């Protein structure tokens, strides 16, 4: 009987993984590892923290670049936080506000109630304001709420020019919530005096297409480029 007890105890203790975060804790299951592809490692390195909603949930284990403008970051998500990240999550590299000499990874879920990730899950990393627009694409079918309005406005204020991806995302919102989107966007364009001229021009083209798609010719897209000019 004692032999069986000690055997069972050994199996139990063997399944416990020690994980260090800001303190020390014992958990029954090990951490999981995720992989993030980025265009620039931005000096991130092993040991840098992973933050979600201001909380440390993991750390970088490796950061390497095999070819120019392409890097791979592997990060360990601590066991007691691994269920917080789902398949809609997006990552970005940022300055660590808790340690000015280090970088960190920021992660957020774009949508709730999506499948929880498993070890080895691969993500695409985003830079700057594209970290915000990444969620616009994932939420294109979501309700046009005040949260999304603020997020779009922040992007318009900070950008010198909108990427094609951002234009496509805005267009998707406009088609999904047509009347409300047009009314709101008309107000934003009039209100934002400091909007970059290029952004204003792109939005004017987008609004013309949404308001009267019949007047949009195949030779001109919402970014304002004439396809005939591009090939000359």
């Amino acid at each position: 009987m004692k032999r069986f007890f000690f055997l069972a105890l050994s199996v139990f203790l063997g399944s416990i993984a020690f994980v260090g975060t800001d303190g020390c804790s014992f958990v029954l299951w090990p951490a999981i590892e995720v992989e993030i592809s980025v265009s620039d490692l931005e000096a991130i390195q092993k040991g840098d923290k992973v933050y979600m909603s201001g909380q440390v949930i993991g750390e970088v284990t490796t950061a390497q670049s095999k070819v120019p403008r392409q890097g791979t970051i592997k990060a360990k998500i601590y066991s007691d936080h691994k269920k917080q990240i789902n398949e809609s999550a997006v990552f970005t590299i940022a300055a660590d506000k808790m340690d000015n000499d280090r970088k960190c990874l920021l992660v957020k879920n774009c949508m709730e109630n999506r499948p929880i990730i498993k070890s080895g899950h691969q993500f695409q990393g985003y830079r700057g304001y594209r970290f915000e627009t990444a969620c616009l694409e994932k939420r294109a079918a979501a309700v046009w709420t005040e949260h999304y309005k603020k997020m779009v406005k922040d992007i318009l204020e900070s950008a010198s020019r909108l990427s094609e991806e951002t234009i496509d995302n805005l267009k998707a919102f406009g088609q999904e919530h047509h009347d409300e989107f047009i009314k709101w966007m008309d107000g934003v364009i009039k209100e934002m005096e400091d909007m970059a001229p290029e952004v204003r021009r792109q939005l004017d083209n987008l609004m013309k297409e949404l308001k009267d798609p019949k007047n949009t010719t195949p030779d001109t897209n919402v970014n304002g480029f004439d396809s005939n000019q591009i090939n000359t």
Side-chain angles (χ1 to χ4, degrees), residues 49-58 96 98 104-107:
K49 298 293 189 292
V50 180
Y51 289 92
M52 188 175 197
S53 300
Q55 183 180 20
V56 177
I57 66 166
D96 191 334
M98 302 302 293
C104 70
L105 281 175
L106 302 180
V107 57

Side-chain angles (χ1 to χ4, degrees), residues 7 10 17 21 53 62 74-75 85 121-122 133 171 197 199 201 211 222:
L7 178 62
S10 298
T21 56
S53 300
T62 62
K74 291 186 178 181
I85 304 177
H121 198 96
Q122 296 180 335
T133 62
K171 186 176 179 180
V199 174
R201 186 181 66 80
K211 290 178 179 179
V222 294

Side-chain angles (χ1 to χ4, degrees), residues 39-54:
S39 59
D40 188 344
L41 291 174
E42 301 182 53
I44 198 163
Q45 57 186 306
K46 180 179 180 180
D48 287 344
K49 298 293 189 292
V50 180
Y51 289 92
M52 188 175 197
S53 300

Side-chain angles (χ1 to χ4, degrees), residues 52 55 57 80-86 109 116:
M52 188 175 197
Q55 183 180 20
I57 66 166
D80 47 344
H81 295 291
K82 63 184 182 182
K83 292 186 177 180
Q84 292 178 225
I85 304 177
N86 65 40
N109 293 326
I116 301 300

Side-chain angles (χ1 to χ4, degrees), residues 15-66:
S15 68
I16 295 179
F18 177 77
V19 178
T21 56
D22 292 335
C24 298
S25 60
F26 288 92
V27 293
L28 291 176
W29 305 107
I32 62 172
E33 186 177 71
V34 297
E35 185 176 302
I36 305 100
S37 298
V38 295
S39 59
D40 188 344
L41 291 174
E42 301 182 53
I44 198 163
Q45 57 186 306
K46 180 179 180 180
D48 287 344
K49 298 293 189 292
V50 180
Y51 289 92
M52 188 175 197
S53 300
Q55 183 180 20
V56 177
I57 66 166
E59 63 186 73
V60 173
T61 55
T62 62
Q64 57 184 354
S65 179
K66 295 182 179 179

Side-chain angles (χ1 to χ4, degrees), residues 55 65 76 81 85 138 159 200 204 213 228:
Q55 183 180 20
S65 179
K76 175 173 63 177
H81 295 291
I85 304 177
K138 295 174 181 291
R200 186 178 296 276
D204 285 340
N228 293 324

Side-chain angles (χ1 to χ4, degrees), residues 211-226:
K211 290 178 179 179
D212 193 0
K214 294 180 181 179
N215 289 335
T216 304
T217 64
D219 292 334
T220 304
N221 63 29
V222 294
N223 286 305
F225 292 110
D226 188 320

